[in-house]
């Protein structure tokens, strides 16, 4: 027998003016729009059910046109309103129709109406907010029903006792000081520029009503265990009740068990089909509360059977494991920003597009960067098969005891909110020292609170030696820290190769990237080269890498996609093929000509400009000085310095012998350079390097360069030019042999 509705919910036009308000709304004229913006309309804005892992059939979407006002923070509720805003887009965004900043001394007000009948039989009506940035207070018909602090986590209030028959009024006030405050805020700033972006204030995820019985399900905690072949489900409810769980694989019943709310219930999943990026298989889960043999509440959910951990491989090197197998993880730094909606894409289809394209780029992972998304983003990652490293949104946490407590509260809220998503395989509490404090303590708490996922203490910069992961950043890179016995090594950021595309940028001039290119072909060549250089690092122990970034963001133009998602900047097939090689078994690296990284090697060198034929194999370098490599200044990051060189130019030469020319494998230059370098082999220029690296990189020789090698005596000659900062140069030859 089907359940009867607990409450009749009638969707209403959001403004008291009705239809004319819908017709009046228009997006503000922003600098750049996506193709999905044209499909946004007030009567159908983000219509999808917002909570896929705990779905009920009865809900009402309150997205649409609301009234808004911006007033001094000290003012009471406004008597007059400034105009209309399209929820759920932040007030600073074009799609909100407002596109105005909110100052720290101001407060943002919202107002809308809806119609509802009071629930019968003790039922309750919940008002949900997907996310509101940052401190909010909610009134229903003039009665305060709740307050919330936090810019990313969903929250709800029971508004039943404040309801009246017929039309009801919602009023919401929001205070968001952005970087003038101390809260987690990611990359939001009041004065955007460079790698920091436009502030996001107020409602930025779906607002909705949900009818529930008096005793109802509040949350689920789902923990798969593939080694034991079970999934554990803990159901939180408003009162003690019997719970019935049913797991299914399509139309096939997998398991059915009963228990008590608040206690873990295990469902056996025999011969489980494991979740992975290659096979993102999800099981359906039905959860019901039972009273006197009748279902009083029920939700639909899903889960994936997968395991993520850090463990040593057969060679004794720490690796990232998925389902007890080594899986190299590679993906973009995913900022989650949009030119028209800022934190909020124009539609579910737009949001899904980024994930689909990430897979097409040959990637199996995304690092969600100092932001977390609505539940539907993780649903698409779960469904399409994309691993997720989840950053905690950054902020000025060490500023005070209050700000530290706030960080901990919002970190817990993030883990609680996202725990059940199988795609999330790592927590990242800190990024590059931004608000970093009490690192080992924060990491230990995170590991204890969720023991099912590795914890990356801090991506880049300040390494405190805690957690499961050692994470370095290297631009353009690639690079890696020394291999550790107890932690896995990853490259948390690299790349940042930039190219503005005319007509698809946030602003016409003064755009920015770590390294800039002019054509798609040049950009593709540089990208493929970086990925090729990564293969030897994988052999040494590198377990993952994160490329900066999914798309351009505001003045940053180092995306794989333009900010409007209109243009794929590189040759899609070439970059996908290059990424595919990263997942092969780690190669074997053999030394042909050692660098000075482990033991100093002797070179002839001069800092005086030599004769024009200095690079020829026949050149007599006997008058040059003899010294151990590498050459540079000792405080230069990543440099191995045997001989101090602190001038503008140095020329170095070295002879070596080969018994035979390698018939298989790829011969690579092993190079450390800071800054520009030219490398000659047997009198021929074989490669040029610009800018600097922070660790040794391996670059394959072209077929014509490899053909220069000969049995017996060979000669390497190198020129390095320095302009500012640290400096260093060292070169060797390696052979990469795929297993």
């Amino acid at each position: 027998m089907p359940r009867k509705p607990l409450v009749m919910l009638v969707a209403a036009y959001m403004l008291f003016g009705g239809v004319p308000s819908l017709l009046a709304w228009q997006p503000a004229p922003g600098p750049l729009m996506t193709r999905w913006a044209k499909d946004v309309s007030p009567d159908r804005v983000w219509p999808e059910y917002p909570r896929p892992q705990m779905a009920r059939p009865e809900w009402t979407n309150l997205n649409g046109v609301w009234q808004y006002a911006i007033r001094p923070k000290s003012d009471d509720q406004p008597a007059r309103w400034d105009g209309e805003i399209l929820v759920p887009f932040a007030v600073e965004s074009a799609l909100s129709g407002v596109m105005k900043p909110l100052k720290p001394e101001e407060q943002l007000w919202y107002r809308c109406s809806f119609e509802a009948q009071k629930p019968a039989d003790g039922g309750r009506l919940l008002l949900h907010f997907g996310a509101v940035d940052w401190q909010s207070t909610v009134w229903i018909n003039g009665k305060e029903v709740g307050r919330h602090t936090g810019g990313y986590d969903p929250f709800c209030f029971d508004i039943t006792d404040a309801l009246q028959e017929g039309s009801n009024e919602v009023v919401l006030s929001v205070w968001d000081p952005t970087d003038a405050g101390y809260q987690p805020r990611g990359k939001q700033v009041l004065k955007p520029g460079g790698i920091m972006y436009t502030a996001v204030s107020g409602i930025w995820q779906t607002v909705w009503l949900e009818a529930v019985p008096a005793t109802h399900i509040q949350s689920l905690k789902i923990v798969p265990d593939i080694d034991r072949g079970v999934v554990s489900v803990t159901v939180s409810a408003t009162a003690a009740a019997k719970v019935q769980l049913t797991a299914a694989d399509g139309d096939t019943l997998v398991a059915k068990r009963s228990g008590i709310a608040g206690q873990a219930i295990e469902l056996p999943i025999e011969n489980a089909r494991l979740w992975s990026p290659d096979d993102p298989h999800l099981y359906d889960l039905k959860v019901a509360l039972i009273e006197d043999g009748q279902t009083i509440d029920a939700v639909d959910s899903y889960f994936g059977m997968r395991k993520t951990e850090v463990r040593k491989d057969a060679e004794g090197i720490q690796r990232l494991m998925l389902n007890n197998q080594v899986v190299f993880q590679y993906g973009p730094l995913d900022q989650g920003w949009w030119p028209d909606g800022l934190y909020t894409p124009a539609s579910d289809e737009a949001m899904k597009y980024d994930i689909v394209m990430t897979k097409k780029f040959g990637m199996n992972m995304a690092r969600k960067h100092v932001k977390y998304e609505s539940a539907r983003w993780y649903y698409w990652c779960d469904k399409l098969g994309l691993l997720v490293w989840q950053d905690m949104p950054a902020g000025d946490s060490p500023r005070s005891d209050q700000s530290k407590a706030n960080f901990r509260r919002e970190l817990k809220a993030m883990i609680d909110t996202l725990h059940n998503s199988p795609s999330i395989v790592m927590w990242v509490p800190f990024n590059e020292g931004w608000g970093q404090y009490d690192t080992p303590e924060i990491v230990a708490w995170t590991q204890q609170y969720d023991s099912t996922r590795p914890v990356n203490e801090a991506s880049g910069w300040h390494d405190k030696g805690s957690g499961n992961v050692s994470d370095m950043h290297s631009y353009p890179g690639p690079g890696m820290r020394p291999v550790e016995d107890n932690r896995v090594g990853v490259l948390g950021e690299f790349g940042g190769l930039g190219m503005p595309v005319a007509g698809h940028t946030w602003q016409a001039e003064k755009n920015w990237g770590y390294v800039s290119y002019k054509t798609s072909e040049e950009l593709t060549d540089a990208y493929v080269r970086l990925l090729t250089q990564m293969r030897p690092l994988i052999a040494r122990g590198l377990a993952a890498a994160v490329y900066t970034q999914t798309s351009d963001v505001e003045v940053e133009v180092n995306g794989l996609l333009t900010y409007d998602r209109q243009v794929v900047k590189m040759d899609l097939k070439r970059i996908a093929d290059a990424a595919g090689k990263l997942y092969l078994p780690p190669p074997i690296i053999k030394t042909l000509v050692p660098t000075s990284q482990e033991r100093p090697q002797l070179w002839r060198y001069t800092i005086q400009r030599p004769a024009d034929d200095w690079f020829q194999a026949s050149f007599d370098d006997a008058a040059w000085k003899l010294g151990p490599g590498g050459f540079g200044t000792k405080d230069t990051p990543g440099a191995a310095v045997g001989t101090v060189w602190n001038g503008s130019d140095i020329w170095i030469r070295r002879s070596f012998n080969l018994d035979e020319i390698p018939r298989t494998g790829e011969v690579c230059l092993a190079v450390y350079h800071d800054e520009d370098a030219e490398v000659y082999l047997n009198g021929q220029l074989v490669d040029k390097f610009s800018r600097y690296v922070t660790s040794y990189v391996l670059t394959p020789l072209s077929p014509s360069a490899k053909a220069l090698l000969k049995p017996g005596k060979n000669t390497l000659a190198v020129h390095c030019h320095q302009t500012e900062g640290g400096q260093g140069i060292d070169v060797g030859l390696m052979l990469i042999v795929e297993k």
Side-chain angles (χ1 to χ4, degrees):
M1 181 177 178
R3 281 192 302 142
K4 295 181 179 179
L6 293 164
V7 61
M8 292 296 295
L9 299 176
V10 181
Y13 294 129
M14 295 302 108
L15 281 177
F16 295 92
V19 175
S21 298
L22 294 180
L23 298 177
W25 174 86
Q26 292 292 328
L32 192 68
M33 305 294 275
T34 66
R35 62 180 176 272
W36 298 280
K38 69 181 187 308
D39 300 322
V40 174
S41 63
D43 58 342
R44 187 172 171 78
V45 54
W46 278 93
E48 295 82 9
Y49 188 81
R51 194 182 56 196
Q53 270 193 299
M54 206 178 96
R56 289 188 177 92
E58 296 167 11
W59 72 291
T60 293
N61 193 338
L62 293 186
N63 292 341
V65 177
W66 293 36
Q67 289 177 310
Y68 86 95
I70 297 175
R71 295 290 185 271
K73 187 174 182 288
S74 58
D75 283 10
D76 292 332
Q77 178 179 331
R80 296 176 60 85
W81 298 84
D82 295 349
E84 301 171 354
I85 185 169
L86 186 63
V87 169
F89 299 105
V91 68
E92 297 91 345
S93 72
L95 285 177
S96 72
V98 179
M99 210 170 74
K100 292 180 180 178
L102 182 68
K103 298 175 184 177
E105 64 273 16
E106 294 176 329
Q107 194 156 240
L108 173 62
W109 291 84
Y110 293 84
R111 180 191 186 208
C112 85
S113 66
F114 64 93
E115 292 189 3
Q117 298 176 1
K118 275 204 170 187
D121 303 323
R124 315 301 294 175
L125 186 62
L126 307 181
L127 173 61
H128 291 267
F129 293 87
V132 179
D133 197 356
W134 175 62
Q135 283 188 348
S136 53
T137 305
V138 180
W139 294 264
I140 299 293
N141 300 322
K143 179 179 180 180
E144 182 179 324
V145 294
R147 300 186 179 197
H148 180 263
T149 297
Y152 299 87
D153 56 310
F155 59 96
C156 74
F157 299 123
D158 185 337
I159 64 171
T160 311
D161 295 338
L163 288 175
Q164 60 190 23
E165 293 298 325
S167 181
N168 290 265
E169 178 192 64
V170 179
V171 172
L172 169 73
S173 69
V174 182
W175 177 61
D176 179 22
T178 310
D179 54 327
Y182 50 81
Q183 77 276 21
R185 55 180 170 80
K187 287 195 168 187
Q188 304 176 55
V189 291
L190 294 169
K191 295 181 179 180
I195 64 170
M196 297 297 176
Y197 316 133
T198 303
V200 172
S201 301
I203 298 169
W204 65 276
Q205 289 182 29
T206 292
V207 184
W208 50 296
L209 293 165
E210 181 181 41
V212 294
T215 300
H216 59 269
I217 298 164
Q218 293 176 301
S219 66
L220 308 175
K221 185 174 183 179
I222 303 171
V223 182
D225 187 336
I226 69 168
D227 296 326
R228 295 176 54 231
V230 300
V231 61
S232 171
V233 181
T234 303
V235 179
S236 294
T238 53
K242 180 182 177 181
V243 173
Q244 185 176 84
L245 304 177
T246 306
D249 188 358
D251 295 329
T252 303
L253 176 65
V254 174
K256 194 170 186 176
R257 291 290 187 273
S258 297
I260 301 298
Q263 299 179 5
I265 305 168
E266 288 190 348
L267 286 162
I269 311 297
E270 297 180 2
N271 302 313
R273 184 174 166 184
L274 303 183
W275 185 97
S276 72
D278 294 331
D279 183 20
H281 185 72
L282 299 173
Y283 289 89
D284 295 323
L285 177 66
K286 292 187 180 296
V287 182
L289 294 184
I290 308 297
E291 185 178 275
D292 298 329
Q294 299 293 316
T295 297
I296 58 171
D297 189 25
V299 297
D300 291 330
S301 187
Y302 66 83
F303 63 91
M305 293 295 290
R306 72 99 184 89
K307 176 183 179 183
T308 175
E309 63 178 331
V310 171
R311 185 156 47 88
K312 288 183 177 180
D313 64 10
E315 307 298 323
I317 298 174
Q318 294 283 5
R319 299 283 185 184
L320 290 172
M321 300 280 183
L322 184 70
N323 301 331
N324 297 321
Q325 301 293 321
V326 175
V327 174
F328 187 83
Q329 298 182 16
Y330 176 58
L333 192 71
D334 195 291
Q335 310 269 14
W337 285 79
W338 300 81
D340 40 21
L342 300 180
Y343 258 16
T344 312
S347 66
D348 191 60
E349 180 186 354
M351 185 168 62
K352 179 183 175 182
Y353 175 82
D354 274 7
I355 300 167
V356 170
M357 290 307 300
T358 299
K359 298 275 287 187
K360 287 185 176 181
F361 294 143
M363 298 167 164
N364 64 2
M365 173 267 284
R367 178 182 163 208
K368 179 53 68 174
H369 191 39
V370 293
K371 174 196 180 186
Y372 64 98
E373 299 279 4
S374 69
R376 292 198 62 82
W377 189 84
Y378 301 95
Y379 165 75
W380 285 119
C381 291
D382 295 342
K383 191 172 180 63
L384 298 176
L386 188 68
L387 303 171
V388 177
W389 294 9
Q390 181 59 58
D391 285 14
M392 171 65 189
D396 297 328
S397 305
R399 183 180 292 185
S400 66
D401 290 341
Q402 182 183 8
S403 61
K404 290 179 181 180
N406 194 69
F407 176 89
R408 289 172 180 263
R409 182 182 66 251
E410 294 202 34
L411 174 63
K412 179 180 181 297
M414 179 184 77
I415 296 173
D416 289 341
T417 299
L418 304 179
H419 179 276
N420 295 337
S421 176
S423 59
I424 298 176
V425 293
M426 186 183 297
W427 300 118
V428 188
F430 297 110
N431 173 75
E432 288 189 343
W434 301 354
Q436 187 173 346
Y437 78 101
D438 295 347
T439 305
E441 183 182 346
I442 294 291
V443 168
W445 178 87
T446 306
Q447 290 174 314
Q448 181 274 328
Y449 195 63
D450 180 11
S451 61
T452 69
R453 293 176 172 93
V455 178
N456 180 348
E457 62 157 31
S459 187
W461 293 17
H462 305 307
D463 180 24
K464 303 299 182 181
S466 61
N468 310 103
V469 182
S470 173
D471 183 324
M472 80 169 290
H473 293 178
S474 178
Y475 284 101
M480 64 177 292
R481 288 178 179 157
V483 173
E484 298 183 20
D485 187 56
N486 295 319
R487 298 192 302 170
V488 68
V490 305
L491 179 58
E493 292 181 26
F494 81 106
L497 307 181
M499 186 183 77
V501 179
H504 300 277
T505 56
W506 184 251
Q507 60 188 35
E509 298 178 344
K510 297 182 180 180
N511 293 295
W512 180 85
Y514 288 94
V515 187
S516 295
Y517 296 88
K518 294 182 179 179
T519 69
S520 177
E521 183 178 9
E522 289 177 350
L523 184 64
T524 303
D525 288 345
Y527 178 86
V528 170
R529 182 170 178 163
L530 290 183
L531 267 58
T532 303
Q533 292 171 351
M534 205 181 299
R535 287 292 293 148
L537 300 181
I538 296 172
R540 286 167 46 193
L542 185 69
V546 178
Y547 178 81
T548 302
Q549 57 190 344
T550 305
S551 75
D552 296 347
V553 183
E554 298 196 355
V555 300
E556 274 193 87
V557 291
N558 44 28
L560 294 158
L561 300 164
T562 54
Y563 197 16
D564 59 5
R565 275 61 167 188
Q566 283 290 94
V567 180
V568 177
K569 294 188 185 181
M570 305 184 210
D571 184 306
L572 186 58
K573 184 179 187 306
R574 283 188 64 198
I575 66 174
D577 288 346
K581 295 178 181 177
L582 301 178
Y583 310 120
L584 298 173
I588 298 170
I589 300 179
K590 298 181 179 180
T591 300
L592 299 178
V593 180
T595 68
S596 299
Q597 188 174 16
E598 295 183 0
R599 181 181 300 175
Q601 306 295 316
L602 289 176
W603 291 77
R604 291 284 181 179
Y605 73 97
T606 182
I607 57 174
Q608 305 298 322
R609 180 174 292 278
D612 291 345
D613 62 344
W614 68 273
F615 53 84
Q616 295 292 343
S618 58
F619 179 78
D620 184 3
D621 59 16
W624 291 17
K625 293 180 180 180
L626 183 66
F631 300 84
T633 53
K634 293 185 182 295
D635 57 350
T636 303
V641 178
T643 298
V644 173
W645 160 56
N646 54 16
S648 62
D649 291 89
I650 191 169
W651 293 261
I652 62 177
R653 288 173 53 91
R654 177 183 180 189
S655 295
F656 61 93
N657 288 296
L658 291 178
D659 295 333
E660 60 180 359
I661 306 304
R663 295 178 180 274
T664 60
E666 195 164 34
V667 178
C668 296
L669 287 171
V671 183
Y672 179 92
H673 66 95
D674 186 347
E675 297 171 7
D676 302 342
E678 299 171 338
V679 180
Y680 296 81
L681 176 61
N682 292 332
Q684 298 294 316
L685 179 66
V686 294
D687 218 331
K688 290 184 177 182
F689 301 90
S690 61
R691 300 185 80 242
Y692 63 90
V693 294
T694 55
S695 61
Y696 284 75
V697 296
L698 270 67
T699 302
L701 290 178
S702 67
S704 60
K706 182 179 177 181
L708 297 171
L709 291 170
K710 57 186 179 180
K713 184 179 178 180
N714 296 264
T715 302
L716 277 171
V718 184
H719 170 224
C720 187
H721 175 69
Q722 166 67 16
T723 61
E724 62 181 357
Q727 58 194 88
I729 185 67
D730 190 23
V731 179
L733 285 175
M734 302 290 176
L735 180 66
I736 302 177
V737 181
E738 298 290 351
K739 293 180 181 177

